Amino acid sequence: QSEKYLNFLLKISGSSVLSEGFLRSMVKWLLLLLVFCSAADWITGSAVGWKKGKWRSQVAREGIFRKIGMFLAVITAGVFDILVHLITVNLPLLELPFDYTTLLLPIVCIWYICTELGSLVENAGSLGAPIPEFLTKAIELLKEKTEE
């Protein structure tokens, strides 16, 4: 089943960057989920604006700029993880009590995914879909736990 989804994602991406090897680890899946959720949020947010007769290109552009800022924060977390890993591997005087490969990047991705999921739920409600309260609470709880 997951192989079908992987093949579907590879077909629709049309990008050589997205390959089977790229999508194998947890971090890569988190990044893919973040991209999907971000795009879905922008599209559904635009649909809400259109439905209410309040769609404006300025507001849509601001949404794109927020997404760019979000991805800059994700890139920063990834660079930080790489930097700490390189330091701990190459400087024997600086040791951590555990092997450091990545820490911040997955947490930042999960936090942003939760933010996007919350926005998607709001957009779905604004488009007329009934939203189960437990879904909203589950998203909020995961985001809170990520912040801790």
Side-chain angles (χ1 to χ4, degrees), residues 30-31 33-45 63-64 66-71 74 108-124 139 143:
L30 288 172
L31 290 170
L33 282 172
L34 181 58
V35 168
F36 174 79
C37 290
S38 179
D41 177 53
W42 187 78
I43 291 167
T44 58
I64 294 283
R66 278 193 297 277
K67 303 292 183 201
I68 290 170
M70 174 184 69
F71 284 106
V74 168
V108 169
C109 285
I110 291 167
W111 189 85
Y112 277 121
I113 290 168
C114 289
T115 300
E116 297 291 352
L117 290 175
S119 183
L120 282 168
V121 166
E122 287 177 17
N123 293 343
I139 293 168
K143 187 173 179 184

Side-chain angles (χ1 to χ4, degrees), residues 20 27 31 65 75 99 103-104 110 114 141:
E20 265 188 57
V27 171
L31 290 170
F65 291 139
I75 290 167
D99 288 335
L103 175 65
L104 287 184
I110 291 167
C114 289
L141 180 63

Side-chain angles (χ1 to χ4, degrees), residues 93-145:
L93 296 176
L94 182 67
E95 285 190 38
L96 295 175
F98 53 88
D99 288 335
Y100 191 98
T101 53
T102 185
L103 175 65
L104 287 184
L105 182 58
I107 294 170
V108 169
C109 285
I110 291 167
W111 189 85
Y112 277 121
I113 290 168
C114 289
T115 300
E116 297 291 352
L117 290 175
S119 183
L120 282 168
V121 166
E122 287 177 17
N123 293 343
S126 295
L127 290 170
I131 306 300
E133 188 176 332
F134 64 86
L135 177 60
T136 305
K137 286 184 178 183
I139 293 168
E140 289 172 4
L141 180 63
L142 181 58
K143 187 173 179 184
E144 287 172 14
K145 291 298 179 184

Side-chain angles (χ1 to χ4, degrees), residues 5-77:
Y5 291 122
L6 178 62
N7 289 333
F8 172 73
L9 291 171
L10 290 172
K11 284 178 187 175
I12 65 168
S13 72
S15 169
S16 61
V17 174
L18 293 177
S19 66
E20 265 188 57
F22 180 81
L23 296 174
R24 289 286 178 212
S25 76
M26 178 190 74
V27 171
K28 274 93 178 183
W29 277 107
L30 288 172
L31 290 170
L32 183 63
L33 282 172
L34 181 58
V35 168
F36 174 79
C37 290
S38 179
D41 177 53
W42 187 78
I43 291 167
T44 58
S46 294
V48 168
W50 187 44
K51 179 184 178 193
K52 294 180 176 182
K54 296 182 178 181
W55 191 91
R56 302 285 181 266
S57 59
Q58 176 65 28
V59 174
R61 272 194 306 275
E62 288 173 8
I64 294 283
F65 291 139
R66 278 193 297 277
K67 303 292 183 201
I68 290 170
M70 174 184 69
F71 284 106
L72 284 174
V74 168
I75 290 167
T76 301

